[in-house]
Amino acid sequence: MRLRRGRVLQATFGCNPNSSSLGVDVTFLLFGATFASALAIVLGALLRKAPR
């Protein structure tokens, strides 16, 4: 008897409360990293400009 191999029919990204989805996690990480980088640059510039 020969075993049939399974195959992926569809991969979806998005928000589905009934299953684990990558879309929300990846989006959160991208926006979070962008915000953290921008905040670090602005904070660094403000600290360099502060009078000593």
Side-chain angles (χ1 to χ4, degrees):
M1 187 160 134
R2 209 172 134 185
L3 293 176
R4 290 184 51 176
R5 292 186 60 192
R7 58 189 174 131
V8 177
L9 297 178
Q10 182 179 8
T12 59
F13 296 96
C15 180
N16 185 357
N18 296 325
S19 68
S20 61
S21 57
L22 288 176
V24 174
D25 297 333
V26 173
T27 303
F28 175 74
L29 288 174
L30 285 174
F31 282 117
T34 303
F35 178 74
S37 299
L39 185 65
I41 291 171
V42 169
L43 189 60
L46 290 174
L47 288 174
R48 284 177 73 98
K49 261 211 185 291
R52 296 179 193 193

